[in-house]
Each structure stands twice: as structure tokens, then as C-alpha cells.
Amino acid sequence: MSILVDEKTKVIVQGITGRDGSFHAKTMIDYGTKVVAGATPGKGGTECVGVPVFDSVREAREATGANASIAYVPYSFAADAVHEAFDAGVELVVCITEGIPTSEVVKIYSKMKSLGVRMIGPNCPGIISPGKCKVGIMPAQIHTRGNVGVVSRSGTLTYEVVNQLTKAGLGQSTCIGIGGDPIIGTNFIDTLKLFQADPETKAIVLIGEIGGTDEEEAAEFIKSEIRKPVVGFVAGQTAPPGKRMGHAGAIVSGGTGTAAEKIAAFKKSGIAVADIPSQISGLVASLMK
Amino acid sequence: MNIHEYQAKEIFARYGIPVPPGKVAASPAEAGKIARDLGKPVVVKAQVHVGGRGKAGGIKFGKTPEEAEKVAGQVLGMSIKGLTVKKVLVTTSVEVASESYLGLVTDRKAKRPVFMASPAGGVDIEEVARTTPEKIFKMHVDPCTGLLPYQARFLAGRLEKDPKLQSQIASIAHKLWKVFWETDCSLAEINPLVKTPQGEVIALDAKINLDDNGLFRHAELEALREGENEHEKAAREMGLSYVKLDGSVGCCVNGAGLAMATMDLIKHYGGEPANFLDIGGSSSPDKVLTAMRIICSDPGVKAVFFNIFGGITRCDDVASGIVRALKEINIKVPIVIRLTGTNEEKAREILRSANLTATALMDEGVRQALQMAKGGVN
């Protein structure tokens, strides 16, 4: 087991003919992901990295029975791409794109909830169930199959942590980057529920950052619902208030969203908190004994 | 991105929200002329991107044009929370019978916009939320329907009893919603919304924060950007995220989370970061060069630390950028490089041929950088 994606996942790559789209479609195929189709308007009937390309997601889905998609689409068209995938019946859309207007993400979220489907992201590295399926841009070679579930708002910081887990002999069930935007389709709690239900996941690493209150809500949820050990880390302890730290969602505003508050909430809920990233694997190992 | 009150009021006026007439001035003489044209007692308001202008003395009254010119002279050039006042809004003075609050923000938890109304107007709404939350009435707006008439009526009913005033407020609420939604705001706020003794409802102040991600479709609003220094501008134009801090270790990192964690780690080991800098994904050597220019122009920087975990970012691109930067820029401080991930070996070769080395561990890199920042061995 693992969560959300596995060897049965059939993926459409939206924007496959673009530079990033074709590059990452190839790395996903090389990893063993079942990339069954690409979709780029106006490129239907062609082939890209050995995969048939369709003009629309609907045609791609009808021809292949795909159940997931990943969008490598520029920010001005990305919201449309996600709507298109949902309307075509795709159940899981991974949206890598950074810079989508918040109002567009609000609309997508509303549709997502009414259809009962799921978006991961936007502004995220995607999701990987090591050894089974990669739907994202993460460097595959740092991952290894195992029992630690990783969920994070960040991209490269997640790689840092995963690399360390792998070196410490701690493989991963699934690693998911949920995205750095203020509004995202899948949050910590959604992911925690799935990890709790997944028998392969024996411990969870949760990597938060400043901005919003997702970590605080996750802490409450962990206390009441999660029966597996959780290790937490929060980036941005030295971030000044009122400044956006790269991610659109990483901002301390009106005194809320600080790292100190989030760390306090984690500790209050009995979550083992790493002061620095290099402590994470040690904490996980000690809790899994 | 924040915009000034006078700019927000221009947007309000375009959407039909009643605001007192006024204009912006950059000199006392100009302020005097605007007051003369208005022909009424005026208020002169500092236009700076911070709150608390009134308390800082940045809002003054002028009964006559001469007095307006005089107080404008006092407000212009004054410093409010470290920002120099370069412009003032000269606007007619309004008689106030009562003050309330009306505003919209994106509710990150509910994942939709939330309308807020409060009879406690004219004070900091975050303070009201902390001390008397029962005085704030909230209404989430469904993005599929927009603000519904019943919602506007409900909000208006929390602020006034008189049906005539209620209908004015409901109409303003609808217009404020349109401003928020159509111009990609992250906040649109009227504080205070005032009732005059004559029974008119007017937006006495206006505050708009824009969603940076929405700016690409509002070129006219992007043009209002100001207060950026040359480095922040260069960073933004190159697609880098840069925030200046006061420490001695310059940071150049790929990814926002890793960049924050790097700053935290510097602090953890007893140092202070000089900046936040995310070179973003797919980093070309040009980005690295720009990043180095920006970091090294900060006189507080005593060492530069590169922390790269290659994913989309290729380590060899970063290495080439560093080598180029060393040739093209006069860099006087030591550089410590940590890189690992995509094309790491290629990167190490590039660095070796330029007599540079790189560690693969973040903690080790930070410790080296701190030692160098303190004047250790290069």
C-alpha cells in the first residue's frame, strides 16, 4: 500500500509537449510510472516521449482510462487545465505550477469539493510512492521504498529530508508535497487521514512552514486521530513578519502564522519536533523502534 | 502588493463606492491648490505603506487652503515607522455621526473569501478580533455565486437599524465584493465606513492589498508598485525571491522552504542570515549571477553560503553561475558551497577546475560559512 498513487495509477501529462512537460514526463516514465497519454491543445495525433498526445484531456481519458493527471502548464493557463481535467472525470490532479491567482484556486477548490475529487498543489513538487509511481518533479533517486510517510509544504526542503531518511535506512511509503500557496487542494489533515489508514505507513514526517494555521489544525488532528508516531519540523523561525518568503503562502501577517506558534502547537499535541532538519531521521528512527 | 489609500479610493470610485473628493499632492503648494479647488476644510493624509498613520501624526486638518499648505509641509517628509512620506492625500473633511467596518479577505482555512462587518469601526480590526470577537460578523462568499443579496442585507443589518442606511451599506458591500474579486485583492477594506449627520454612508478610508499572483492580468495595478529598492527590483525581474535581513551570512538557496530552513540553521549555529534568497527552479547561470550581485552589494555580508539541492535545478548550472560570478563581479567575501542532487558530479568538476570545493552536507556548509563570516580561514 501507499497513498493516492501506486502501480495502478494511469497518468495523463497536461502540457507534455512543453520543455518542462516532456522532460518530466520522461523521468516519470523512466521511474516506471504508467504515463498513458499527453494532452496539449493543437497537438492531438502526435506523439511525445513515446506517449500518444491528444488535443484535450477528455479525449485522452476516453482513449486510455487514465485516472490521474499532472499539469505542467504556465500560470496563466493552469487553472483552466485543472478545470479541464476535473470536467473530464480525472480523480486526481497534480498541479505543479507556481503563480496561479488565488481567486482561481478558490474556484478550483470549490469545484473539487463538489465533485469529490482531489487536487494536489498548486505550487508543489507532486507525489511519489517509491518503487511504484512518481507523479511529480522530485529527483527519484533519493527515494527508497519503506514505511515513513512524508508530507510537506515545501519542495527542496522535502528532498533534503527524504535524502536523509534514505541514507539512514528509513524508506518511504509515500512522499507528498502539498504546495506553498495560501490555498491548496490537499492539506495536512487530508494527507494525515490517508497515512493513518495506510498499513504500509508506520511513521509520519510533517514539514510545515510559516503562514496560515494549517500546522496548528494538523496538530489538533494528530492529537485526536493519529495513532502513528509523527515527527514535525517548521521552517521560517528567522523570517521577519509581513514579508512573503518566496512561497505565496509563507507570510506572517497580523501576528499569526509564526513558526513559534506552530512549534508550540506541535509540542502541545505530543509531536516530536526537530529543531533542525538533520535531527529528523534520528527522531523517526527512535520512534519506530 | 500594497497600494496607497488614494489609489484604493480611485478604484473604489470607479466601482461606485462613495468616497470624499480629493487628490494626491507631492508638495505643500500643490496641497494648498487642491484644498482651494475643493473649496472646503480638508484633511491631509500621509500616503505610506504602513498602518497607524494617525497616531504617528500623519493625518492633519486644514480649515483653509493656507492651513492645508502648512500642515502638508509638516506631513510631507516626515518619517512613519521608517518610511518617508512623499505624497499626501488632500481630501474634504467629513462630519462623522458613526463609524463602522466593512472588509473582505481570503480565508485560508475556509478556502474562500470572507466578508467581515463590525460596528467597531475606526480601530484596528485585528485588535477587535482579539479583544471583542463578538463584534465582528462574518459571511463566507461562495466563488460560484459571488456575494448574494441576502448576505449583503445581513451584513448591513449588523451595522445600521435604519432601512435607508442598510440599503446604502448593502449596495457598498456588493461593490466592495466586485472590487475584491475583479481586481484580485487579498484584502479590500473600508475602515472606517462612516455615516454622516445627513444620513449618507461614505468610505472614509480605503485599503487594498493585491494578490501578487493576480498582477499579471492587471497591468495598470502592477504599474502602481513602489517602495522597491534597486536590488529588490532586480531580483523580482529575474524571478528571484529576495528579502533583506540584517545578519552577516548571505544565503543563496533553491526553494523557499530550504531557504528558510537555511536561515534558521545559521541562527541555530549562532550566526545571523543576511537575507532570504530563493533562486527558484530551473536556475540558469544568469540567475546565479544576479543573485550574487544582489547579495554582495550588501555591506553587512561577510560570507556567502550556497545551499543547493538539485531537483529541477541542475547543480552544474549553479556551479557555472558561481564561476562566472567570480570572474565578472569583484567579490571580496569568502563563498561556501553546498550542493547535492541533479548533475552533482558535473558541478563538482566545474568547481574543481576553478579551484573551488563544495560540501554535500547542509550543516557542515553552514558551520564553514559561519567560521568564515567571523573572519576565519578562507
Short mmCIF file of all heavy atoms in Angstrom, two decimals, chain A residues 75-76 99-104 106 109 137 153-154 156 159-160 183-184 212 217 236-238 240 244-247 249 276 278, chain B residues 106 108-109 111 126 143-144 181 184 211-213 216-217 241 245 254-258 263-265 267-268 276 309-310 312 338 363:
data_model
loop_
_atom_site.label_atom_id
_atom_site.label_comp_id
_atom_site.label_asym_id
_atom_site.label_seq_id
_atom_site.Cartn_x
_atom_site.Cartn_y
_atom_site.Cartn_z
N TYR A 75 1.32 29.61 -15.60
CA TYR A 75 0.34 30.05 -14.61
C TYR A 75 -0.91 30.70 -15.19
O TYR A 75 -1.98 30.61 -14.61
CB TYR A 75 0.99 30.96 -13.56
CG TYR A 75 1.68 32.19 -14.08
CD1 TYR A 75 0.97 33.29 -14.50
CD2 TYR A 75 3.07 32.25 -14.11
CE1 TYR A 75 1.62 34.42 -14.97
CE2 TYR A 75 3.73 33.38 -14.57
CZ TYR A 75 3.00 34.46 -15.01
OH TYR A 75 3.63 35.58 -15.48
N SER A 76 -0.80 31.31 -16.37
CA SER A 76 -1.99 31.98 -16.91
C SER A 76 -3.00 30.97 -17.47
O SER A 76 -4.15 31.31 -17.68
CB SER A 76 -1.59 33.00 -17.96
OG SER A 76 -0.59 32.49 -18.79
N GLY A 99 2.25 30.43 -9.11
CA GLY A 99 1.83 31.75 -9.58
C GLY A 99 0.40 31.85 -10.06
O GLY A 99 0.02 32.83 -10.69
N ILE A 100 -0.43 30.86 -9.77
CA ILE A 100 -1.85 30.94 -10.16
C ILE A 100 -2.57 31.92 -9.22
O ILE A 100 -2.39 31.84 -8.00
CB ILE A 100 -2.53 29.55 -10.07
CG1 ILE A 100 -1.76 28.52 -10.90
CG2 ILE A 100 -3.99 29.63 -10.51
CD1 ILE A 100 -2.30 27.11 -10.78
N PRO A 101 -3.38 32.84 -9.75
CA PRO A 101 -4.09 33.78 -8.87
C PRO A 101 -4.93 33.03 -7.83
O PRO A 101 -5.56 32.02 -8.14
CB PRO A 101 -5.00 34.55 -9.84
CG PRO A 101 -4.31 34.47 -11.15
CD PRO A 101 -3.61 33.13 -11.17
N THR A 102 -4.94 33.53 -6.61
CA THR A 102 -5.66 32.88 -5.51
C THR A 102 -7.14 32.71 -5.85
O THR A 102 -7.74 31.68 -5.53
CB THR A 102 -5.51 33.71 -4.22
OG1 THR A 102 -4.11 33.85 -3.96
CG2 THR A 102 -6.15 33.03 -3.04
N SER A 103 -7.73 33.71 -6.50
CA SER A 103 -9.16 33.62 -6.82
C SER A 103 -9.44 32.43 -7.73
O SER A 103 -10.50 31.80 -7.63
CB SER A 103 -9.65 34.92 -7.46
OG SER A 103 -8.97 35.16 -8.67
N GLU A 104 -8.50 32.09 -8.60
CA GLU A 104 -8.68 30.93 -9.48
C GLU A 104 -8.59 29.63 -8.68
O GLU A 104 -9.31 28.67 -8.96
CB GLU A 104 -7.63 30.93 -10.60
CG GLU A 104 -7.71 32.14 -11.53
CD GLU A 104 -9.04 32.23 -12.27
OE1 GLU A 104 -9.71 31.19 -12.45
OE2 GLU A 104 -9.42 33.36 -12.64
N VAL A 106 -9.37 29.32 -5.55
CA VAL A 106 -10.62 29.26 -4.77
C VAL A 106 -11.72 28.60 -5.61
O VAL A 106 -12.46 27.75 -5.12
CB VAL A 106 -11.04 30.68 -4.32
CG1 VAL A 106 -12.48 30.72 -3.86
CG2 VAL A 106 -10.11 31.19 -3.22
N TYR A 109 -10.99 24.90 -5.98
CA TYR A 109 -11.24 24.20 -4.73
C TYR A 109 -12.74 23.90 -4.58
O TYR A 109 -13.14 22.81 -4.18
CB TYR A 109 -10.74 25.02 -3.54
CG TYR A 109 -10.79 24.25 -2.24
CD1 TYR A 109 -9.74 23.41 -1.87
CD2 TYR A 109 -11.91 24.32 -1.41
CE1 TYR A 109 -9.80 22.67 -0.70
CE2 TYR A 109 -11.97 23.58 -0.25
CZ TYR A 109 -10.91 22.76 0.11
OH TYR A 109 -10.97 22.03 1.27
N ILE A 137 7.98 16.22 -9.89
CA ILE A 137 9.27 16.69 -10.41
C ILE A 137 10.42 16.36 -9.48
O ILE A 137 11.54 16.79 -9.68
CB ILE A 137 9.23 18.22 -10.65
CG1 ILE A 137 8.92 18.95 -9.34
CG2 ILE A 137 8.23 18.59 -11.73
CD1 ILE A 137 9.02 20.46 -9.42
N ARG A 153 4.97 21.26 2.89
CA ARG A 153 4.56 22.42 2.07
C ARG A 153 5.66 22.86 1.13
O ARG A 153 5.48 23.78 0.34
CB ARG A 153 4.17 23.59 2.99
CG ARG A 153 2.76 23.45 3.58
CD ARG A 153 2.51 24.45 4.68
NE ARG A 153 2.45 25.83 4.22
CZ ARG A 153 2.39 26.88 5.04
NH1 ARG A 153 2.37 26.70 6.34
NH2 ARG A 153 2.36 28.10 4.56
N SER A 154 6.81 22.21 1.26
CA SER A 154 7.98 22.67 0.52
C SER A 154 8.40 21.66 -0.54
O SER A 154 7.94 20.53 -0.56
CB SER A 154 9.10 22.90 1.52
OG SER A 154 10.34 22.98 0.88
N THR A 156 12.23 21.56 -2.20
CA THR A 156 13.61 21.14 -1.97
C THR A 156 13.88 20.76 -0.51
O THR A 156 14.70 19.90 -0.24
CB THR A 156 14.61 22.22 -2.41
OG1 THR A 156 14.21 23.47 -1.86
CG2 THR A 156 14.67 22.32 -3.91
N TYR A 159 13.15 17.24 -0.27
CA TYR A 159 14.22 16.41 -0.83
C TYR A 159 15.32 16.23 0.22
O TYR A 159 15.86 15.15 0.41
CB TYR A 159 14.85 17.00 -2.08
CG TYR A 159 13.90 17.46 -3.17
CD1 TYR A 159 14.33 18.34 -4.17
CD2 TYR A 159 12.57 17.02 -3.22
CE1 TYR A 159 13.48 18.76 -5.17
CE2 TYR A 159 11.72 17.46 -4.22
CZ TYR A 159 12.17 18.33 -5.19
OH TYR A 159 11.33 18.77 -6.18
N GLU A 160 15.64 17.32 0.88
CA GLU A 160 16.67 17.31 1.92
C GLU A 160 16.34 16.25 2.98
O GLU A 160 17.19 15.44 3.35
CB GLU A 160 16.71 18.71 2.56
CG GLU A 160 17.74 18.92 3.64
CD GLU A 160 19.13 19.12 3.07
OE1 GLU A 160 19.26 19.85 2.09
OE2 GLU A 160 20.06 18.51 3.61
N ILE A 183 -3.77 28.89 -0.64
CA ILE A 183 -4.88 27.95 -0.75
C ILE A 183 -4.42 26.78 -1.60
O ILE A 183 -3.93 26.96 -2.71
CB ILE A 183 -6.13 28.63 -1.33
CG1 ILE A 183 -6.58 29.69 -0.33
CG2 ILE A 183 -7.23 27.60 -1.60
CD1 ILE A 183 -7.88 30.32 -0.61
N ILE A 184 -4.55 25.57 -1.05
CA ILE A 184 -4.11 24.37 -1.75
C ILE A 184 -5.22 23.32 -1.69
O ILE A 184 -6.09 23.38 -0.82
CB ILE A 184 -2.82 23.80 -1.11
CG1 ILE A 184 -2.93 23.72 0.42
CG2 ILE A 184 -1.61 24.64 -1.51
CD1 ILE A 184 -1.72 23.15 1.12
N GLY A 212 -0.41 31.11 7.68
CA GLY A 212 -1.64 30.34 7.85
C GLY A 212 -1.67 29.57 9.15
O GLY A 212 -0.82 29.78 10.03
N GLU A 217 -3.89 23.31 12.99
CA GLU A 217 -5.04 22.42 12.82
C GLU A 217 -4.58 20.98 12.71
O GLU A 217 -5.22 20.07 13.26
CB GLU A 217 -5.85 22.85 11.58
CG GLU A 217 -6.66 24.11 11.84
CD GLU A 217 -6.64 25.09 10.69
OE1 GLU A 217 -6.56 24.64 9.52
OE2 GLU A 217 -6.69 26.30 10.94
N GLY A 236 11.23 28.64 8.91
CA GLY A 236 10.91 30.07 8.92
C GLY A 236 10.96 30.71 10.29
O GLY A 236 10.36 31.76 10.52
N GLN A 237 11.73 30.09 11.21
CA GLN A 237 11.82 30.67 12.56
C GLN A 237 12.47 32.05 12.54
O GLN A 237 12.21 32.88 13.41
CB GLN A 237 12.62 29.73 13.46
CG GLN A 237 11.94 28.38 13.63
CD GLN A 237 12.83 27.37 14.36
OE1 GLN A 237 13.38 27.68 15.39
NE2 GLN A 237 12.96 26.19 13.80
N THR A 238 13.31 32.30 11.55
CA THR A 238 14.00 33.59 11.48
C THR A 238 13.36 34.55 10.47
O THR A 238 13.91 35.59 10.16
CB THR A 238 15.48 33.38 11.07
OG1 THR A 238 15.51 32.51 9.93
CG2 THR A 238 16.28 32.77 12.18
N PRO A 240 11.18 37.47 9.01
CA PRO A 240 10.59 38.69 9.57
C PRO A 240 9.09 38.77 9.27
O PRO A 240 8.64 38.25 8.25
CB PRO A 240 11.34 39.80 8.82
CG PRO A 240 11.75 39.18 7.53
CD PRO A 240 11.97 37.72 7.81
N ARG A 244 6.77 38.21 2.50
CA ARG A 244 6.49 36.94 1.86
C ARG A 244 7.83 36.24 1.58
O ARG A 244 8.69 36.78 0.89
CB ARG A 244 5.73 37.26 0.57
CG ARG A 244 5.56 36.14 -0.38
CD ARG A 244 4.71 36.60 -1.54
NE ARG A 244 5.08 35.83 -2.73
CZ ARG A 244 4.33 35.73 -3.81
NH1 ARG A 244 3.21 36.39 -3.90
NH2 ARG A 244 4.72 35.01 -4.82
N MET A 245 7.98 35.04 2.14
CA MET A 245 9.25 34.32 1.99
C MET A 245 9.16 33.35 0.82
O MET A 245 8.97 32.14 1.00
CB MET A 245 9.59 33.58 3.29
CG MET A 245 9.60 34.46 4.54
SD MET A 245 10.78 35.83 4.43
CE MET A 245 12.28 34.97 4.84
N GLY A 246 9.26 33.87 -0.37
CA GLY A 246 9.25 33.03 -1.57
C GLY A 246 7.89 32.45 -1.88
O GLY A 246 7.22 32.89 -2.81
N HIS A 247 7.43 31.50 -1.10
CA HIS A 247 6.10 30.94 -1.30
C HIS A 247 5.03 32.00 -1.03
O HIS A 247 5.13 32.72 -0.05
CB HIS A 247 5.85 29.76 -0.35
CG HIS A 247 6.61 28.52 -0.70
ND1 HIS A 247 6.87 27.53 0.22
CD2 HIS A 247 7.14 28.10 -1.87
CE1 HIS A 247 7.54 26.56 -0.39
NE2 HIS A 247 7.73 26.88 -1.64
N GLY A 249 2.26 31.58 0.20
CA GLY A 249 1.58 31.33 1.48
C GLY A 249 2.47 31.51 2.69
O GLY A 249 2.00 31.44 3.82
N ILE A 276 16.34 21.23 13.94
CA ILE A 276 16.97 21.43 12.63
C ILE A 276 16.70 20.20 11.77
O ILE A 276 16.44 19.11 12.31
CB ILE A 276 18.50 21.67 12.77
CG1 ILE A 276 19.17 20.53 13.55
CG2 ILE A 276 18.77 22.99 13.49
CD1 ILE A 276 20.69 20.64 13.63
N SER A 278 18.46 18.10 10.15
CA SER A 278 19.29 16.89 10.30
C SER A 278 18.93 16.05 11.52
O SER A 278 19.45 14.95 11.69
CB SER A 278 20.77 17.27 10.32
OG SER A 278 21.01 18.25 11.30
N THR B 106 -9.17 36.88 2.04
CA THR B 106 -9.23 35.46 1.71
C THR B 106 -9.03 34.68 2.99
O THR B 106 -8.05 34.87 3.69
CB THR B 106 -8.11 35.09 0.71
OG1 THR B 106 -8.25 35.92 -0.44
CG2 THR B 106 -8.22 33.64 0.29
N ARG B 108 -7.92 31.58 4.54
CA ARG B 108 -7.10 30.44 4.13
C ARG B 108 -7.68 29.13 4.65
O ARG B 108 -7.58 28.10 3.98
CB ARG B 108 -5.66 30.60 4.64
CG ARG B 108 -4.92 31.69 3.92
CD ARG B 108 -3.54 31.97 4.51
NE ARG B 108 -2.63 30.85 4.34
CZ ARG B 108 -1.31 30.98 4.32
NH1 ARG B 108 -0.75 32.17 4.47
NH2 ARG B 108 -0.53 29.94 4.18
N LYS B 109 -8.26 29.17 5.82
CA LYS B 109 -8.80 27.94 6.42
C LYS B 109 -10.06 27.49 5.69
O LYS B 109 -10.20 26.33 5.34
CB LYS B 109 -9.11 28.21 7.89
CG LYS B 109 -9.41 26.97 8.68
CD LYS B 109 -9.58 27.30 10.16
CE LYS B 109 -10.07 26.09 10.91
NZ LYS B 109 -10.36 26.42 12.31
N LYS B 111 -10.89 28.44 2.73
CA LYS B 111 -10.54 28.39 1.32
C LYS B 111 -11.53 29.14 0.43
O LYS B 111 -11.88 28.70 -0.67
CB LYS B 111 -10.35 26.95 0.86
CG LYS B 111 -9.17 26.31 1.60
CD LYS B 111 -9.02 24.86 1.31
CE LYS B 111 -7.71 24.31 1.84
NZ LYS B 111 -7.59 24.41 3.29
N GLU B 126 -7.82 43.81 13.65
CA GLU B 126 -7.18 42.65 14.28
C GLU B 126 -7.25 42.76 15.81
O GLU B 126 -7.35 41.77 16.52
CB GLU B 126 -5.73 42.52 13.81
CG GLU B 126 -5.64 41.80 12.47
CD GLU B 126 -4.40 42.17 11.67
OE1 GLU B 126 -3.55 42.91 12.19
OE2 GLU B 126 -4.30 41.75 10.51
N PRO B 143 -17.54 31.27 -4.30
CA PRO B 143 -16.99 31.81 -5.55
C PRO B 143 -17.89 31.56 -6.76
O PRO B 143 -17.77 32.25 -7.77
CB PRO B 143 -15.66 31.08 -5.69
CG PRO B 143 -15.76 29.87 -4.83
CD PRO B 143 -16.68 30.24 -3.71
N CYS B 144 -18.79 30.58 -6.66
CA CYS B 144 -19.69 30.31 -7.80
C CYS B 144 -20.80 31.34 -7.91
O CYS B 144 -21.27 31.63 -9.01
CB CYS B 144 -20.34 28.94 -7.65
SG CYS B 144 -19.17 27.60 -7.62
N TRP B 181 -13.01 40.87 -5.98
CA TRP B 181 -12.96 39.70 -6.87
C TRP B 181 -12.38 40.03 -8.23
O TRP B 181 -11.59 39.28 -8.79
CB TRP B 181 -14.38 39.13 -6.99
CG TRP B 181 -14.43 37.70 -7.44
CD1 TRP B 181 -15.09 37.23 -8.54
CD2 TRP B 181 -13.84 36.55 -6.81
NE1 TRP B 181 -14.93 35.87 -8.62
CE2 TRP B 181 -14.17 35.42 -7.59
CE3 TRP B 181 -13.05 36.37 -5.67
CZ2 TRP B 181 -13.75 34.12 -7.27
CZ3 TRP B 181 -12.63 35.08 -5.36
CH2 TRP B 181 -12.97 33.98 -6.14
N ASP B 184 -8.45 41.00 -8.13
CA ASP B 184 -7.54 40.05 -7.46
C ASP B 184 -6.93 40.63 -6.19
O ASP B 184 -5.70 40.72 -6.06
CB ASP B 184 -6.43 39.60 -8.42
CG ASP B 184 -6.91 38.54 -9.40
OD1 ASP B 184 -7.47 37.54 -8.93
OD2 ASP B 184 -6.74 38.73 -10.61
N ASP B 211 -3.22 40.48 -4.57
CA ASP B 211 -2.61 39.15 -4.67
C ASP B 211 -1.52 39.24 -5.74
O ASP B 211 -1.81 39.49 -6.91
CB ASP B 211 -3.71 38.15 -5.08
CG ASP B 211 -3.17 36.78 -5.45
OD1 ASP B 211 -2.01 36.49 -5.14
OD2 ASP B 211 -3.95 36.01 -6.07
N ASP B 212 -0.27 39.03 -5.34
CA ASP B 212 0.84 39.14 -6.30
C ASP B 212 0.63 38.21 -7.51
O ASP B 212 1.01 38.56 -8.63
CB ASP B 212 2.17 38.77 -5.62
CG ASP B 212 2.62 39.83 -4.64
OD1 ASP B 212 1.88 40.83 -4.49
OD2 ASP B 212 3.69 39.68 -4.03
N ASN B 213 0.04 37.05 -7.26
CA ASN B 213 -0.18 36.10 -8.35
C ASN B 213 -1.21 36.59 -9.37
O ASN B 213 -1.29 36.06 -10.46
CB ASN B 213 -0.64 34.74 -7.80
CG ASN B 213 0.49 33.97 -7.14
OD1 ASN B 213 1.63 34.40 -7.17
ND2 ASN B 213 0.15 32.83 -6.56
N PHE B 216 -0.40 39.73 -12.99
CA PHE B 216 -0.11 39.59 -14.42
C PHE B 216 -1.31 39.96 -15.29
O PHE B 216 -1.16 40.31 -16.45
CB PHE B 216 0.41 38.18 -14.75
CG PHE B 216 -0.64 37.11 -14.76
CD1 PHE B 216 -1.33 36.81 -15.93
CD2 PHE B 216 -0.94 36.40 -13.59
CE1 PHE B 216 -2.31 35.81 -15.94
CE2 PHE B 216 -1.91 35.40 -13.61
CZ PHE B 216 -2.60 35.11 -14.78
N ARG B 217 -2.52 39.88 -14.69
CA ARG B 217 -3.67 40.24 -15.52
C ARG B 217 -4.21 41.63 -15.18
O ARG B 217 -5.33 41.96 -15.55
CB ARG B 217 -4.76 39.16 -15.44
CG ARG B 217 -5.10 38.69 -14.05
CD ARG B 217 -6.05 37.50 -14.15
NE ARG B 217 -6.55 37.10 -12.85
CZ ARG B 217 -7.31 36.03 -12.67
NH1 ARG B 217 -7.64 35.26 -13.68
NH2 ARG B 217 -7.74 35.72 -11.47
N SER B 241 13.28 35.37 -5.43
CA SER B 241 12.63 35.94 -4.25
C SER B 241 13.72 36.38 -3.30
O SER B 241 14.55 35.57 -2.88
CB SER B 241 11.75 34.92 -3.54
OG SER B 241 10.76 34.47 -4.41
N LEU B 245 17.82 40.99 5.19
CA LEU B 245 17.82 40.93 6.65
C LEU B 245 19.10 41.59 7.14
O LEU B 245 19.84 42.18 6.34
CB LEU B 245 17.74 39.46 7.11
CG LEU B 245 16.53 38.68 6.59
CD1 LEU B 245 16.73 37.19 6.78
CD2 LEU B 245 15.25 39.14 7.28
N ASN B 254 18.08 27.20 -3.45
CA ASN B 254 16.98 26.90 -4.37
C ASN B 254 15.80 26.34 -3.59
O ASN B 254 15.93 25.36 -2.88
CB ASN B 254 17.43 25.96 -5.49
CG ASN B 254 17.74 24.55 -5.00
OD1 ASN B 254 18.33 24.37 -3.96
ND2 ASN B 254 17.33 23.57 -5.77
N GLY B 255 14.68 27.01 -3.70
CA GLY B 255 13.48 26.57 -2.99
C GLY B 255 13.24 27.40 -1.75
O GLY B 255 14.16 27.69 -0.98
N ALA B 256 11.98 27.81 -1.54
CA ALA B 256 11.65 28.71 -0.43
C ALA B 256 11.76 28.01 0.91
O ALA B 256 12.29 28.57 1.88
CB ALA B 256 10.24 29.26 -0.62
N GLY B 257 11.30 26.77 1.00
CA GLY B 257 11.35 26.05 2.28
C GLY B 257 12.78 25.81 2.70
O GLY B 257 13.15 26.04 3.86
N LEU B 258 13.60 25.37 1.75
CA LEU B 258 15.01 25.12 2.06
C LEU B 258 15.72 26.43 2.41
O LEU B 258 16.59 26.46 3.28
CB LEU B 258 15.70 24.42 0.88
CG LEU B 258 17.11 23.90 1.13
CD1 LEU B 258 17.13 22.85 2.24
CD2 LEU B 258 17.71 23.29 -0.15
N MET B 263 18.31 29.69 6.67
CA MET B 263 18.39 30.86 7.57
C MET B 263 18.28 30.40 9.03
O MET B 263 19.03 30.85 9.89
CB MET B 263 17.24 31.83 7.28
CG MET B 263 17.40 32.62 6.00
SD MET B 263 15.85 33.39 5.45
CE MET B 263 15.08 33.91 6.96
N ASP B 264 17.32 29.52 9.27
CA ASP B 264 17.11 29.03 10.64
C ASP B 264 18.35 28.30 11.15
O ASP B 264 18.71 28.41 12.33
CB ASP B 264 15.90 28.08 10.69
CG ASP B 264 14.59 28.77 10.35
OD1 ASP B 264 14.57 30.02 10.29
OD2 ASP B 264 13.59 28.06 10.14
N LEU B 265 18.97 27.53 10.26
CA LEU B 265 20.15 26.76 10.65
C LEU B 265 21.33 27.68 10.98
O LEU B 265 22.10 27.43 11.91
CB LEU B 265 20.52 25.78 9.54
CG LEU B 265 21.41 24.61 9.94
CD1 LEU B 265 20.76 23.76 11.02
CD2 LEU B 265 21.74 23.73 8.73
N LYS B 267 21.07 30.64 12.21
CA LYS B 267 20.73 31.14 13.54
C LYS B 267 21.00 30.07 14.61
O LYS B 267 21.56 30.36 15.68
CB LYS B 267 19.25 31.55 13.55
CG LYS B 267 18.75 32.06 14.85
CD LYS B 267 18.78 33.57 14.89
CE LYS B 267 18.16 34.08 16.18
NZ LYS B 267 18.36 35.51 16.32
N HIS B 268 20.62 28.84 14.30
CA HIS B 268 20.79 27.72 15.24
C HIS B 268 22.26 27.56 15.64
O HIS B 268 22.58 27.28 16.79
CB HIS B 268 20.28 26.44 14.59
CG HIS B 268 20.45 25.20 15.43
ND1 HIS B 268 19.55 24.86 16.40
CD2 HIS B 268 21.42 24.26 15.46
CE1 HIS B 268 19.95 23.75 16.99
NE2 HIS B 268 21.09 23.36 16.44
N PHE B 276 17.08 36.39 2.81
CA PHE B 276 16.39 35.22 2.25
C PHE B 276 16.56 35.36 0.74
O PHE B 276 16.31 36.44 0.19
CB PHE B 276 14.91 35.30 2.62
CG PHE B 276 14.03 34.34 1.87
CD1 PHE B 276 13.73 33.09 2.40
CD2 PHE B 276 13.49 34.68 0.64
CE1 PHE B 276 12.92 32.20 1.71
CE2 PHE B 276 12.68 33.80 -0.05
CZ PHE B 276 12.39 32.56 0.48
N PHE B 309 19.94 21.98 -3.43
CA PHE B 309 19.54 20.59 -3.55
C PHE B 309 18.90 20.44 -4.93
O PHE B 309 17.77 20.84 -5.14
CB PHE B 309 18.57 20.16 -2.45
CG PHE B 309 18.56 18.67 -2.24
CD1 PHE B 309 19.02 18.13 -1.05
CD2 PHE B 309 18.17 17.82 -3.25
CE1 PHE B 309 19.06 16.75 -0.88
CE2 PHE B 309 18.21 16.46 -3.09
CZ PHE B 309 18.65 15.91 -1.89
N GLY B 310 19.67 19.87 -5.85
CA GLY B 310 19.23 19.82 -7.24
C GLY B 310 18.04 18.90 -7.45
O GLY B 310 18.05 17.74 -7.06
N ILE B 312 14.74 20.10 -10.12
CA ILE B 312 14.67 20.75 -11.44
C ILE B 312 15.92 21.58 -11.62
O ILE B 312 16.46 21.70 -12.71
CB ILE B 312 13.49 21.76 -11.55
CG1 ILE B 312 12.19 21.20 -11.04
CG2 ILE B 312 13.34 22.22 -12.99
CD1 ILE B 312 11.00 22.08 -11.41
N ARG B 338 27.43 24.35 -0.80
CA ARG B 338 26.90 23.02 -0.52
C ARG B 338 26.03 22.68 -1.72
O ARG B 338 25.12 23.42 -2.06
CB ARG B 338 26.06 23.05 0.75
CG ARG B 338 25.43 21.72 1.12
CD ARG B 338 24.14 21.46 0.42
NE ARG B 338 23.69 20.10 0.66
CZ ARG B 338 22.48 19.79 1.09
NH1 ARG B 338 21.59 20.72 1.29
NH2 ARG B 338 22.16 18.55 1.30
N ASP B 363 24.52 21.07 7.18
CA ASP B 363 25.02 21.50 8.49
C ASP B 363 26.50 21.89 8.40
O ASP B 363 26.92 22.92 8.94
CB ASP B 363 24.85 20.39 9.53
CG ASP B 363 23.40 20.16 9.87
OD1 ASP B 363 22.65 19.77 8.95
OD2 ASP B 363 23.00 20.38 11.02
#
